[in-house]
Amino acid sequence: MFLTLAANNKNLFAQARHTIVGIIDFFHRPFARFIPTQTFRYLACGGTNTVFNIFIDNIAYNYIFRAHPVHIYGNFIITPEVGALIIALSISIPTGFILSRHIVFPESNLHSRIQFFRYALTTVIFLLMAYFLTKLFAFYLPMINQTVRYTAICVITTIFSYITQRVFTFKIIDEEVLPD
């Protein structure tokens, strides 16, 4: 019975992947001359996951924390912004990993635990990078609109994130190098 459930789940997962790839590739057709398929899939999955992250952050901030800090223990307080960020990232990081692993970079032959560790590591690095770029732009370019600065930060971190995931997180290694 357990094997039957596992086989059904694997088949369901394969169907879901096939459907998602089909939808993304359908929308890629008009842009196929300008954007490679893998890059378009990355933009589609990353963009969807970013919107999902913002949605979860908004729900957590307004409905879970109700825009009030939470007293954890003694004088330790979590602001609603930080609490909402923790909740949003705890959901969107695994979701982004699954999308990247199975939709954008399915050809990667690294073990999934190594991929997930690398994905989480690069996510933390790019969060820190976005934080420092935000401070840097606010200090040195205060005359530029915040939306323009934030958009530039998103573009910069997205480009570096794609390159890092392609050559580090989900890279393909030679079969002879893979450990048994």
Side-chain angles (χ1 to χ4, degrees):
M1 181 173 159
F2 179 73
L3 293 176
T4 305
L5 287 174
N8 287 341
N9 286 339
K10 191 172 189 174
N11 188 31
L12 183 64
F13 185 77
Q15 289 174 345
R17 182 195 181 283
H18 180 73
T19 302
I20 292 169
V21 168
I23 291 169
I24 292 171
D25 289 351
F26 173 78
F27 287 105
H28 176 246
R29 285 188 191 117
F31 306 101
R33 292 188 318 206
F34 311 109
I35 303 173
T37 303
Q38 187 180 54
T39 305
F40 190 83
R41 287 180 183 173
Y42 180 80
L43 292 171
C45 290
T48 302
N49 198 47
T50 300
V51 170
F52 182 55
N53 180 289
I54 292 167
F55 174 75
I56 293 169
D57 184 81
N58 186 12
I59 295 297
Y61 181 82
N62 290 308
Y63 297 104
I64 296 174
F65 292 97
R66 298 177 191 236
H68 296 298
V70 175
H71 296 273
I72 301 297
Y73 181 76
N75 290 335
F76 186 69
I77 297 171
I78 292 183
T79 64
E81 295 84 3
V82 171
L85 179 67
I86 290 169
I87 290 173
L89 290 177
S90 68
I91 296 170
S92 67
I93 287 176
T95 303
F97 171 74
I98 290 168
L99 288 171
S100 291
R101 175 174 159 72
H102 297 288
I103 306 299
V104 182
F105 304 104
E107 68 280 354
S108 177
N109 55 0
L110 290 174
H111 291 286
S112 59
R113 68 180 178 275
I114 294 170
Q115 289 175 340
F116 185 74
F117 174 77
R118 290 179 176 191
Y119 184 84
L121 178 67
T122 57
T123 299
V124 169
I125 290 169
F126 287 112
L127 283 170
L128 292 172
M129 182 180 177
Y131 173 79
F132 287 117
L133 284 174
T134 300
K135 292 292 191 180
L136 184 73
F137 285 10
F139 185 74
Y140 287 109
L141 302 170
M143 71 296 282
I144 296 177
N145 180 297
Q146 165 57 23
T147 304
V148 174
R149 289 191 314 240
Y150 187 71
T151 302
I153 291 166
C154 287
V155 169
I156 291 167
T157 56
T158 300
I159 290 168
F160 282 115
S161 176
Y162 176 69
I163 293 167
T164 303
Q165 286 190 29
R166 189 171 177 193
V167 300
F168 175 68
T169 305
F170 297 104
K171 75 178 188 174
I172 300 171
I173 55 176
D174 294 334
E175 293 296 326
E176 299 90 38
V177 179
L178 283 175
D180 290 330

